[in-house]
Amino acid sequence: LPRVFVRAGELVAGGEARVGADGTIAGHGTVRLPPGLVRELAPYEATVSAYLEDPGSATLPFRVGGPVSAPRFALDVP
């Protein structure tokens, strides 16, 4: 998938992925979190504060992998 964008309310994600013949997926992208969700996550995930934007939203990099039937998403931080 060269580039896919998904929006659900104020949450916006975009990324790209490859699906192998064996049914595994590998990819990466970003997800933009609205200010309310950033406020809720910040106390539990310190990484969020490194990606803060005006007016309090955050755009975080992620990676995805595993089987297509149950992909795993994780923050893609150095």
Side-chain angles (χ1 to χ4, degrees):
L1 305 170
R3 192 78 179 154
V4 176
F5 292 93
V6 178
R7 181 179 187 143
E10 294 182 77
L11 188 75
V12 181
E16 55 188 61
R18 292 181 316 279
V19 179
D22 61 353
T24 60
I25 187 168
H28 61 93
T30 58
V31 60
R32 183 175 183 276
L33 306 177
L37 187 52
V38 169
R39 283 190 301 274
E40 293 294 322
L41 287 176
Y44 305 102
E45 179 55 62
T47 307
V48 172
S49 64
Y51 297 95
L52 288 177
E53 303 170 344
D54 274 341
S57 61
T59 299
L60 304 166
F62 70 86
R63 65 183 180 279
V64 59
V68 172
S69 60
R72 292 181 304 275
F73 292 85
L75 284 178
D76 191 11
V77 293

